Each structure stands twice: as structure tokens, then as C-alpha cells.
Amino acid sequence: MELELRHLRTVCAIAESGSLTKAAAVLRMSQPALSARLKRLEEEIGAPLFARLPQGMAPTLVGDFVLLRARAILHGVAELRRDAARLTERATTVVALGGVVGSVSIGLAERLGEHLPDHEVRLTMDYSPALLWDLVAAGRLDVATTVDYPGYELHSTAAMACEPIAREPVFVAVAAGDPLARRAEVPLGELADRVWVMTPSDGAGWPDCFHAVCEQRGFRPRVRYSISSSDSIRALVAAGRAVAPCQPVYPSDDEVVVRPIAGSPVWMRHVVVCRRDGVLAARLTVIADLAREAYWAHVRDRTAHFDLLRSGQTG
């Protein structure tokens, strides 16, 4: 069997959905057909790409390797099509925007389209901040919103320019019936004995930064679950089987409650990046302002902690 683009899209769909059933719906094929395709692909690669867990499908070490390169190849194909279109008479000026966090990138895409009415803004989102940086550095994206963490901060270089958007503390999600749900904020030390569910490594400092802060507080978090599917994470938290680090905009309801961690010891910073010689370099300050508007509009609409987040900004 020869590897084709549909095989790469299959890997990405399974990883992003965390479920064969959901991936099959995205790919518009039956689950048995998807399972058979994945089996043939794993036979071709020579190793399992996903671990079949009760909570969903989690990439193996080989799966993470294949996934990173699959995404890069698919980005390259999209770039090829975009650049080919630019050679036709009907071509429009395209701005290739990348994003790792929907609250910033989606809102920025809308605002950037209004700011550049003669351009077509095309948004590509990815889980990996490191890949987005590489795609901008290679000129395959014009600009991207990404994230960094304490100890893993991004810095401007001779070739790349960075502009911070907002610094956001990491909160914790607990079951609504958990005693901690009644607290206004939760000291990190009181979570030392809890079981955690976390998203896998993003290659840019998460969850390494979280582990480092916990160790500074004298404990190592008991991460029993490493899952990319937000639905599976929420189910575990709602059932009281684990707690999860999360963004402040993570939705609270009758089953799951989101609380600040006292003192905001762990944070993520939203950053916009572009090449210094890129087509949008001269507009980076304006783009950063648009991204801040998008971020705060998203936060205002989705969390009761807006004032807390605003007061905690340090640049």
C-alpha cells in the first residue's frame, strides 16, 4: 500500500476527535471502513499509531511522530494549491493565518478580514505551537497566533518578530460535587493527592511547565489519563475520576466547575508571530491589537472571571 493524502487526513482526524466514531463522521465513512484503513496504515508504518483506551484514541510515540509530519505535509499541499491559485487571473491576495487557540485565531481571522478588505484570510489551526512557529519561519504562513509557557517563552529573533497578546492563568476543572467546587480558588497544594487528566505534550512546553510548578510545590501530579479529546476529559472530570488543568473559558455547568488556582502559579501566554521580512511584518502591531480585541471579546462572553483575568495582566 502506498501512503496517500487520505491516509494522512485519517491520522489527523482520529487524533483531533479522539474517537473512531467521530473521525468516521468527519471523514464521511463507516467506522468499520475507517478501522480497516487504520489497520492497513499501521501495517504499512510497522507500528501502532494509536492506543485504544476506554476514554478514546490516544497517539502512541510513533503516532505523534507520524501526526506531526502528516500535518506538515497537509499544510504543504494546501500551500501548493494556494500558490497555484495566485498564478491564475482569478487569484486574490491571500493572507495565510495560523492559530493554535480558537479564541484568538478565529476572532482574529474575522477582524483581519475587515482590516484587509482586499485580501482573503485563510485560517489553519493546529494543536502544535512548535509546528506553527516553523510554518511561519518557513514562509508557509504569513502570521500565526500561538502560545508559550513559563520557562518556555518565545522571543523575537533576527528573523522572527513576536508580540504578546495576553497572559492567561491556568485554572482547574473539578466535578460539581467536589468539595473544591465550593471554593473561590484552589491552592495548588490541595490538589497534590488528586488524579489528573491532561492533554498530551504540544511540543512547546505543555504539560512540562505544569509538572515543574507542581514539583516546586513539593509534589508530582498523578497523571493517570493523557487524552486529546475534550469530550473524554470532560466526562472523566464530571464523573469525579480526575481533575484537569484548563483555560478560564472552559465551560462550567451542572457537572463541571472551573476554579482559579490560587496565586496563578501556572500560565500560558498568547503571542502573535510573523517573519520580519514577511508581507505583514509592518502590520504586526495592528494585528496584535486586533488579536487582543478578539481574545478579550471571547473571554468576556464565556467566563465569569473576566475582571480577574483583566487585573492579572502584566504584559
Side-chain angles (χ1 to χ4, degrees), residues 178-263:
D178 192 307
L180 294 178
R182 298 192 291 269
R183 305 279 293 273
E185 60 180 15
V186 180
L188 187 59
E190 294 193 19
L191 297 165
D193 296 330
R194 296 303 188 96
V195 171
W196 291 84
V197 53
M198 292 189 184
T199 51
S201 171
D202 66 3
W206 180 266
D208 312 73
C209 66
F210 189 86
H211 285 275
V213 170
C214 290
E215 290 178 1
Q216 291 171 5
R217 298 299 194 276
F219 72 95
R220 182 184 296 271
R222 297 165 54 203
V223 182
R224 184 173 298 170
Y225 309 99
S226 180
I227 302 173
S228 57
S229 167
S230 60
D231 289 343
S232 297
I233 291 174
R234 191 172 190 86
L236 286 169
V237 173
R241 296 171 61 185
V243 297
C246 64
Q247 291 183 256
V249 294
Y250 195 78
S252 293
D253 56 22
D254 294 337
E255 295 184 324
V256 175
V257 172
V258 174
R259 291 289 180 259
I261 299 176

Coordinates of all heavy atoms in Angstrom, one line a residue, residues 178-263:
D178 N -17.6 18.0 43.9 CA -16.3 18.0 44.6 C -16.3 19.1 45.6 O -16.7 20.2 45.3 CB -15.2 18.2 43.6 CG -13.8 17.9 44.2 OD1 -13.5 18.5 45.2 OD2 -13.0 17.2 43.6
P179 N -15.8 18.9 46.9 CA -15.8 20.0 47.9 C -15.0 21.2 47.4 O -15.3 22.3 47.8 CB -15.1 19.3 49.0 CG -15.4 17.8 48.9 CD -15.4 17.6 47.4
L180 N -14.0 21.0 46.5 CA -13.2 22.1 46.0 C -14.1 23.0 45.1 O -13.7 24.2 44.9 CB -12.0 21.6 45.2 CG -10.9 20.9 46.0 CD1 -9.8 20.4 45.1 CD2 -10.4 21.8 47.1
A181 N -15.2 22.5 44.6 CA -16.0 23.4 43.7 C -16.7 24.5 44.5 O -17.1 25.5 43.9 CB -17.1 22.5 43.1
R182 N -16.7 24.4 45.8 CA -17.3 25.4 46.7 C -16.3 26.5 47.0 O -16.7 27.5 47.6 CB -17.9 24.8 47.9 CG -19.0 23.8 47.7 CD -19.8 23.4 49.0 NE -18.9 22.6 49.8 CZ -18.9 21.3 49.8 NH1 -19.6 20.6 48.9 NH2 -18.1 20.6 50.7
R183 N -15.1 26.3 46.6 CA -14.0 27.3 46.9 C -14.0 28.4 45.8 O -14.2 28.1 44.7 CB -12.7 26.6 47.0 CG -12.6 25.4 48.0 CD -12.4 25.9 49.4 NE -11.1 26.5 49.6 CZ -10.0 25.8 50.0 NH1 -10.1 24.5 50.1 NH2 -8.9 26.4 50.1
A184 N -13.6 29.6 46.2 CA -13.5 30.6 45.2 C -12.2 30.4 44.4 O -12.2 30.8 43.2 CB -13.4 32.0 45.9
E185 N -11.2 29.8 45.0 CA -10.0 29.5 44.3 C -9.4 28.3 45.0 O -9.7 28.0 46.2 CB -9.0 30.6 44.3 CG -8.6 31.2 45.6 CD -7.6 32.3 45.5 OE1 -7.4 32.9 44.5 OE2 -6.9 32.6 46.6
V186 N -8.5 27.5 44.3 CA -8.0 26.3 44.9 C -6.5 26.4 45.0 O -5.8 26.6 44.0 CB -8.4 25.1 44.0 CG1 -7.8 23.8 44.5 CG2 -9.9 25.0 43.8
P187 N -5.9 26.3 46.2 CA -4.5 26.2 46.3 C -3.9 25.0 45.6 O -4.5 23.9 45.7 CB -4.2 26.1 47.9 CG -5.5 26.7 48.4 CD -6.6 26.3 47.5
L188 N -2.8 25.1 44.9 CA -2.3 24.0 44.1 C -1.9 22.8 45.0 O -2.1 21.7 44.7 CB -1.0 24.5 43.3 CG -0.4 23.5 42.4 CD1 -1.5 23.1 41.3 CD2 0.8 24.1 41.7
G189 N -1.4 23.1 46.2 CA -1.0 22.1 47.1 C -2.2 21.1 47.5 O -2.0 20.0 47.8
E190 N -3.4 21.7 47.5 CA -4.6 20.8 47.9 C -5.0 19.9 46.7 O -5.9 19.0 46.9 CB -5.8 21.7 48.2 CG -5.5 22.5 49.5 CD -6.8 23.1 50.1 OE1 -7.9 22.7 49.7 OE2 -6.6 24.1 50.9
L191 N -4.3 20.0 45.6 CA -4.5 19.0 44.5 C -3.4 18.0 44.4 O -3.4 17.2 43.5 CB -4.6 19.8 43.2 CG -5.7 20.9 43.1 CD1 -5.4 21.8 41.9 CD2 -7.0 20.2 42.9
A192 N -2.5 17.9 45.4 CA -1.4 17.0 45.3 C -1.8 15.6 45.3 O -1.1 14.7 44.7 CB -0.5 17.3 46.6
D193 N -2.9 15.2 46.0 CA -3.3 13.8 46.0 C -4.3 13.4 45.0 O -4.8 12.3 45.0 CB -3.8 13.5 47.4 CG -2.8 13.6 48.5 OD1 -1.6 13.4 48.2 OD2 -3.1 14.0 49.6
R194 N -4.7 14.4 44.1 CA -5.7 14.1 43.1 C -5.1 13.4 41.9 O -4.0 13.5 41.6 CB -6.4 15.4 42.7 CG -7.1 16.1 43.8 CD -8.2 15.2 44.4 NE -9.0 16.0 45.3 CZ -10.2 16.5 45.0 NH1 -10.7 16.4 43.8 NH2 -10.9 17.2 45.9
V195 N -6.0 12.7 41.2 CA -5.7 12.1 39.9 C -6.0 13.1 38.8 O -7.0 13.8 38.9 CB -6.6 10.8 39.7 CG1 -6.4 10.3 38.2 CG2 -6.2 9.7 40.6
W196 N -5.1 13.2 37.9 CA -5.2 14.3 36.8 C -5.5 13.6 35.5 O -5.0 12.5 35.2 CB -3.9 15.1 36.8 CG -3.7 16.0 37.9 CD1 -3.1 15.6 39.1 CD2 -4.0 17.3 38.1 NE1 -3.0 16.7 40.0 CE2 -3.6 17.7 39.4 CE3 -4.6 18.3 37.2 CZ2 -3.7 19.0 39.8 CZ3 -4.8 19.6 37.7 CH2 -4.3 19.9 39.0
V197 N -6.2 14.4 34.6 CA -6.3 14.1 33.2 C -5.7 15.3 32.5 O -6.1 16.4 32.8 CB -7.7 13.7 32.8 CG1 -8.7 14.8 33.2 CG2 -7.8 13.5 31.2
M198 N -4.8 15.1 31.6 CA -4.2 16.2 30.9 C -4.1 15.9 29.4 O -4.1 14.8 28.9 CB -2.8 16.4 31.4 CG -2.7 16.9 32.8 SD -1.0 17.4 33.2 CE -1.2 17.9 34.9
T199 N -4.1 17.0 28.6 CA -3.8 16.8 27.2 C -2.4 16.5 26.9 O -1.5 16.7 27.7 CB -4.1 18.1 26.4 OG1 -3.5 19.2 27.1 CG2 -5.6 18.4 26.4
P200 N -2.1 15.8 25.8 CA -0.7 15.3 25.5 C 0.2 16.5 25.3 O -0.2 17.7 25.2 CB -0.8 14.5 24.3 CG -2.3 14.2 24.2 CD -3.0 15.3 24.8
S201 N 1.5 16.2 25.3 CA 2.5 17.2 25.0 C 2.3 18.0 23.7 O 1.9 17.3 22.7 CB 3.9 16.6 25.0 OG 4.9 17.5 24.5
D202 N 2.4 19.3 23.7 CA 2.2 20.1 22.5 C 3.6 20.4 21.9 O 3.7 21.2 20.9 CB 1.4 21.3 22.7 CG 2.1 22.3 23.7 OD1 3.2 22.1 24.1 OD2 1.4 23.4 24.0
G203 N 4.7 19.9 22.5 CA 6.0 20.2 21.9 C 6.5 21.5 22.2 O 7.6 21.9 21.7
A204 N 5.8 22.4 23.0 CA 6.2 23.7 23.2 C 6.3 24.1 24.7 O 6.5 25.2 25.0 CB 5.3 24.7 22.5
G205 N 6.2 23.1 25.6 CA 6.3 23.3 27.0 C 5.1 22.8 27.8 O 5.2 22.9 29.1
W206 N 4.1 22.4 27.2 CA 3.0 21.8 27.9 C 3.0 20.3 27.8 O 3.1 19.8 26.7 CB 1.6 22.4 27.4 CG 0.5 21.8 28.2 CD1 -0.3 20.7 27.9 CD2 0.0 22.3 29.5 NE1 -1.2 20.5 28.8 CE2 -1.1 21.4 29.8 CE3 0.4 23.3 30.3 CZ2 -1.8 21.6 31.0 CZ3 -0.3 23.5 31.5 CH2 -1.4 22.6 31.8
P207 N 2.8 19.5 28.9 CA 2.5 19.9 30.2 C 3.7 20.0 31.1 O 3.6 20.1 32.3 CB 1.6 18.8 30.7 CG 2.1 17.6 30.0 CD 2.6 18.0 28.7
D208 N 4.9 20.1 30.5 CA 6.2 20.1 31.3 C 6.2 21.3 32.3 O 6.6 21.1 33.4 CB 7.3 20.3 30.3 CG 7.3 19.3 29.2 OD1 6.4 19.5 28.3 OD2 8.1 18.3 29.2
C209 N 5.7 22.5 31.8 CA 5.7 23.6 32.7 C 4.8 23.4 34.0 O 5.1 23.8 35.1 CB 5.2 24.9 32.0 SG 3.5 24.9 31.5
F210 N 3.7 22.7 33.8 CA 2.8 22.3 34.9 C 3.4 21.4 35.9 O 3.4 21.6 37.1 CB 1.5 21.7 34.3 CG 0.4 21.6 35.4 CD1 -0.5 22.6 35.6 CD2 0.3 20.4 36.1 CE1 -1.4 22.5 36.6 CE2 -0.7 20.3 37.0 CZ -1.6 21.3 37.3
H211 N 4.1 20.4 35.3 CA 4.8 19.5 36.2 C 5.9 20.2 37.0 O 6.1 19.9 38.2 CB 5.5 18.4 35.4 CG 4.5 17.3 34.9 ND1 4.1 16.2 35.6 CD2 3.9 17.2 33.7 CE1 3.2 15.5 34.9 NE2 3.1 16.1 33.7
A212 N 6.6 21.1 36.4 CA 7.7 21.8 37.0 C 7.1 22.6 38.2 O 7.7 22.7 39.3 CB 8.4 22.7 36.1
V213 N 6.0 23.3 38.0 CA 5.4 24.1 39.1 C 4.9 23.2 40.2 O 5.1 23.6 41.4 CB 4.3 25.0 38.6 CG1 3.5 25.7 39.7 CG2 4.8 26.1 37.6
C214 N 4.3 22.1 39.9 CA 3.9 21.2 41.0 C 5.1 20.7 41.8 O 5.0 20.6 43.0 CB 3.1 20.0 40.3 SG 1.5 20.4 39.6
E215 N 6.2 20.4 41.1 CA 7.3 19.9 41.8 C 7.9 20.9 42.7 O 8.5 20.7 43.8 CB 8.4 19.4 40.8 CG 7.9 18.1 40.1 CD 8.9 17.6 39.1 OE1 10.0 18.2 38.9 OE2 8.6 16.5 38.5
Q216 N 7.8 22.2 42.3 CA 8.2 23.3 43.2 C 7.4 23.4 44.4 O 7.8 23.8 45.5 CB 8.2 24.6 42.4 CG 9.2 24.8 41.3 CD 9.0 26.0 40.5 OE1 8.1 26.8 40.7 NE2 9.7 26.1 39.4
R217 N 6.1 22.9 44.3 CA 5.2 22.9 45.5 C 5.4 21.6 46.3 O 4.6 21.4 47.2 CB 3.8 23.1 45.0 CG 3.5 24.4 44.3 CD 3.7 25.6 45.2 NE 3.1 26.8 44.7 CZ 3.7 27.6 43.8 NH1 4.9 27.2 43.3 NH2 3.1 28.7 43.3
G218 N 6.3 20.7 45.9 CA 6.6 19.5 46.7 C 5.9 18.3 46.3 O 5.8 17.3 47.0
F219 N 5.2 18.2 45.1 CA 4.6 17.0 44.7 C 4.7 16.8 43.2 O 4.9 17.8 42.4 CB 3.1 17.0 45.1 CG 2.2 17.9 44.4 CD1 1.4 17.5 43.3 CD2 2.1 19.3 44.7 CE1 0.6 18.3 42.6 CE2 1.2 20.1 44.0 CZ 0.5 19.6 43.0
R220 N 4.5 15.6 42.7 CA 4.4 15.3 41.3 C 3.0 14.9 41.0 O 2.4 14.0 41.6 CB 5.4 14.1 41.0 CG 5.4 13.7 39.5 CD 6.3 12.5 39.3 NE 7.7 12.8 39.6 CZ 8.6 13.3 38.8 NH1 8.2 13.6 37.5 NH2 9.8 13.6 39.2
P221 N 2.3 15.5 40.1 CA 0.9 15.2 39.8 C 0.8 13.8 39.3 O 1.6 13.3 38.5 CB 0.6 16.3 38.7 CG 1.8 16.7 38.1 CD 2.9 16.6 39.2
R222 N -0.3 13.2 39.7 CA -0.6 11.8 39.3 C -1.4 11.8 38.1 O -2.7 11.9 38.1 CB -1.4 11.1 40.5 CG -0.6 10.9 41.7 CD -1.5 10.5 42.9 NE -2.3 9.3 42.6 CZ -3.4 9.0 43.2 NH1 -3.9 9.9 44.1 NH2 -4.1 7.9 42.9
V223 N -0.8 11.8 36.9 CA -1.5 11.9 35.6 C -1.8 10.5 35.2 O -0.9 9.8 34.6 CB -0.6 12.6 34.6 CG1 -1.4 12.8 33.3 CG2 -0.2 14.0 35.1
R224 N -3.0 10.1 35.4 CA -3.4 8.7 35.0 C -3.9 8.7 33.6 O -3.9 7.7 32.9 CB -4.5 8.3 36.0 CG -5.0 6.8 35.7 CD -6.0 6.4 36.8 NE -5.4 6.4 38.1 CZ -6.0 6.2 39.2 NH1 -7.4 6.1 39.2 NH2 -5.4 6.2 40.4
Y225 N -4.4 9.9 33.1 CA -5.0 9.9 31.8 C -4.3 11.0 31.0 O -4.2 12.2 31.4 CB -6.5 10.2 31.8 CG -7.3 9.4 32.8 CD1 -7.6 9.8 34.1 CD2 -7.7 8.1 32.4 CE1 -8.3 9.0 34.9 CE2 -8.4 7.3 33.2 CZ -8.7 7.7 34.5 OH -9.4 6.9 35.4
S226 N -3.9 10.7 29.8 CA -3.4 11.6 28.8 C -4.2 11.5 27.6 O -4.1 10.6 26.8 CB -1.9 11.4 28.5 OG -1.4 12.3 27.6
I227 N -5.1 12.5 27.3 CA -6.2 12.4 26.3 C -6.3 13.7 25.6 O -6.3 14.8 26.2 CB -7.5 12.1 27.0 CG1 -7.4 10.8 27.8 CG2 -8.6 12.0 26.0 CD1 -8.6 10.4 28.6
S228 N -6.4 13.6 24.3 CA -6.6 14.8 23.4 C -8.1 15.2 23.3 O -8.4 16.3 22.9 CB -5.9 14.6 22.1 OG -6.5 13.5 21.4
S229 N -9.0 14.3 23.5 CA -10.4 14.5 23.3 C -11.0 15.3 24.4 O -11.0 14.9 25.6 CB -11.1 13.2 23.1 OG -12.5 13.4 23.2
S230 N -11.5 16.5 24.1 CA -12.1 17.3 25.2 C -13.3 16.7 25.8 O -13.6 16.9 27.0 CB -12.4 18.7 24.6 OG -13.3 18.6 23.6
D231 N -14.1 16.0 25.0 CA -15.3 15.3 25.5 C -14.9 14.2 26.5 O -15.6 14.1 27.5 CB -16.0 14.6 24.3 CG -16.7 15.7 23.4 OD1 -16.9 16.8 23.9 OD2 -17.1 15.3 22.3
S232 N -13.8 13.5 26.2 CA -13.4 12.4 27.1 C -12.9 13.0 28.4 O -13.1 12.5 29.5 CB -12.3 11.5 26.5 OG -12.8 10.9 25.4
I233 N -12.1 14.1 28.3 CA -11.6 14.8 29.5 C -12.8 15.3 30.4 O -12.8 15.1 31.6 CB -10.7 16.0 29.1 CG1 -9.4 15.5 28.5 CG2 -10.4 16.9 30.3 CD1 -8.5 16.5 27.9
R234 N -13.8 15.9 29.7 CA -14.9 16.4 30.5 C -15.7 15.3 31.2 O -16.1 15.4 32.3 CB -15.8 17.2 29.6 CG -16.9 18.0 30.3 CD -17.7 18.9 29.4 NE -18.5 19.8 30.1 CZ -18.1 21.0 30.6 NH1 -16.8 21.3 30.4 NH2 -18.9 21.7 31.3
A235 N -15.8 14.1 30.5 CA -16.5 13.0 31.1 C -15.8 12.5 32.3 O -16.5 12.2 33.3 CB -16.7 11.9 30.1
L236 N -14.5 12.4 32.3 CA -13.7 12.0 33.5 C -13.9 12.9 34.6 O -14.0 12.5 35.8 CB -12.3 11.8 33.1 CG -11.9 10.6 32.2 CD1 -10.5 10.7 31.7 CD2 -12.1 9.3 33.0
V237 N -13.8 14.2 34.3 CA -13.9 15.2 35.4 C -15.3 15.2 36.0 O -15.5 15.2 37.2 CB -13.6 16.6 34.9 CG1 -13.9 17.7 35.9 CG2 -12.1 16.7 34.4
A238 N -16.4 15.2 35.1 CA -17.7 15.2 35.6 C -18.0 14.0 36.5 O -18.8 14.1 37.4 CB -18.7 15.2 34.4
A239 N -17.4 12.8 36.2 CA -17.6 11.6 37.0 C -16.8 11.6 38.3 O -16.9 10.7 39.1 CB -17.2 10.4 36.1
G240 N -16.0 12.6 38.5 CA -15.2 12.7 39.7 C -14.0 11.8 39.7 O -13.4 11.5 40.7
R241 N -13.6 11.3 38.5 CA -12.5 10.4 38.4 C -11.1 11.1 38.2 O -10.1 10.5 38.3 CB -12.7 9.4 37.2 CG -13.9 8.5 37.4 CD -14.3 7.7 36.2 NE -13.2 6.9 35.8 CZ -13.2 6.1 34.6 NH1 -14.3 6.2 33.8 NH2 -12.2 5.3 34.3
A242 N -11.2 12.4 37.9 CA -9.9 13.1 37.7 C -10.3 14.6 37.8 O -11.4 15.0 37.6 CB -9.3 12.8 36.4
V243 N -9.2 15.4 38.0 CA -9.3 16.9 37.8 C -8.5 17.2 36.6 O -7.6 16.5 36.2 CB -8.9 17.6 39.1 CG1 -9.8 17.3 40.2 CG2 -7.4 17.3 39.4
A244 N -8.7 18.4 36.0 CA -8.0 18.7 34.8 C -7.5 20.2 34.8 O -8.4 21.1 35.2 CB -8.8 18.5 33.6
P245 N -6.3 20.5 34.4 CA -6.0 21.9 34.2 C -6.7 22.4 32.9 O -7.0 21.6 32.0 CB -4.5 21.9 33.9 CG -4.2 20.5 33.5 CD -5.2 19.6 34.1
C246 N -7.1 23.6 32.9 CA -7.9 24.1 31.8 C -7.8 25.6 31.7 O -7.2 26.3 32.5 CB -9.4 23.8 32.0 SG -10.2 24.6 33.5
Q247 N -8.3 26.1 30.6 CA -8.4 27.6 30.4 C -9.5 28.2 31.1 O -10.5 27.5 31.4 CB -8.5 27.9 28.9 CG -7.3 27.6 28.1 CD -7.5 28.0 26.6 OE1 -7.7 27.2 25.7 NE2 -7.4 29.3 26.4
P248 N -9.5 29.4 31.5 CA -10.6 30.0 32.2 C -11.9 30.0 31.5 O -13.0 30.0 32.1 CB -10.1 31.5 32.4 CG -8.6 31.4 32.4 CD -8.3 30.3 31.4
V249 N -11.9 29.9 30.1 CA -13.1 29.9 29.4 C -13.7 28.5 29.2 O -14.7 28.3 28.6 CB -12.9 30.5 27.9 CG1 -12.5 32.0 28.0 CG2 -11.8 29.7 27.2
Y250 N -13.1 27.5 29.9 CA -13.6 26.2 29.8 C -15.0 26.2 30.5 O -15.2 26.7 31.6 CB -12.7 25.2 30.6 CG -13.0 23.7 30.4 CD1 -12.5 23.1 29.2 CD2 -13.7 23.0 31.3 CE1 -12.8 21.8 29.0 CE2 -13.9 21.6 31.1 CZ -13.4 21.0 30.0 OH -13.7 19.7 29.8
P251 N -16.0 25.7 29.8 CA -17.4 25.9 30.3 C -17.7 25.2 31.6 O -17.4 24.0 31.7 CB -18.3 25.4 29.1 CG -17.4 24.5 28.3 CD -16.0 25.0 28.5
S252 N -18.3 25.9 32.5 CA -18.9 25.4 33.7 C -20.4 25.1 33.5 O -21.0 25.8 32.8 CB -18.7 26.4 34.9 OG -17.4 26.6 35.2
D253 N -20.8 24.0 34.2 CA -22.2 23.7 34.1 C -22.6 22.9 35.4 O -21.9 23.0 36.4 CB -22.5 22.9 32.9 CG -21.7 21.6 32.7 OD1 -21.2 21.1 33.8 OD2 -21.5 21.1 31.6
D254 N -23.7 22.1 35.3 CA -24.2 21.4 36.5 C -23.3 20.2 36.8 O -23.4 19.6 37.9 CB -25.6 20.9 36.2 CG -26.6 22.0 36.1 OD1 -26.3 23.1 36.7 OD2 -27.7 21.8 35.5
E255 N -22.3 19.9 35.9 CA -21.5 18.7 36.2 C -20.0 19.1 36.4 O -19.3 18.4 37.1 CB -21.5 17.8 35.0 CG -22.9 17.1 34.7 CD -22.9 16.1 33.6 OE1 -22.2 16.4 32.6 OE2 -23.6 15.1 33.7
V256 N -19.6 20.1 35.8 CA -18.1 20.5 35.9 C -18.0 22.0 36.3 O -18.8 22.8 35.8 CB -17.4 20.3 34.5 CG1 -16.0 20.8 34.6 CG2 -17.4 18.8 34.1
V257 N -17.2 22.3 37.3 CA -16.9 23.6 37.8 C -15.5 24.0 37.5 O -14.6 23.2 37.7 CB -17.3 23.7 39.3 CG1 -16.9 25.1 39.8 CG2 -18.8 23.5 39.5
V258 N -15.2 25.2 37.1 CA -13.9 25.7 36.8 C -13.5 26.8 37.9 O -14.3 27.7 38.2 CB -13.8 26.4 35.4 CG1 -12.5 27.0 35.2 CG2 -14.1 25.3 34.3
R259 N -12.3 26.6 38.5 CA -11.9 27.5 39.5 C -10.5 27.9 39.3 O -9.6 27.2 38.8 CB -12.0 26.8 40.9 CG -13.4 26.5 41.4 CD -14.1 27.8 41.8 NE -15.4 27.6 42.2 CZ -16.5 27.8 41.5 NH1 -16.4 28.2 40.2 NH2 -17.7 27.6 42.0
P260 N -10.1 29.2 39.7 CA -8.7 29.6 39.6 C -7.9 28.8 40.6 O -8.3 28.4 41.6 CB -8.8 31.1 40.0 CG -10.3 31.5 40.0 CD -11.0 30.2 40.2
I261 N -6.6 28.7 40.2 CA -5.6 28.1 41.1 C -5.0 29.3 41.8 O -4.5 30.3 41.2 CB -4.5 27.3 40.3 CG1 -5.2 26.2 39.6 CG2 -3.4 26.9 41.3 CD1 -4.2 25.4 38.7
A262 N -5.0 29.3 43.2 CA -4.5 30.4 44.0 C -3.2 30.9 43.6 O -2.2 30.1 43.5 CB -4.6 30.0 45.5
G263 N -3.0 32.2 43.4 CA -1.7 32.8 43.1 C -1.3 32.6 41.6 O -0.3 33.1 41.2

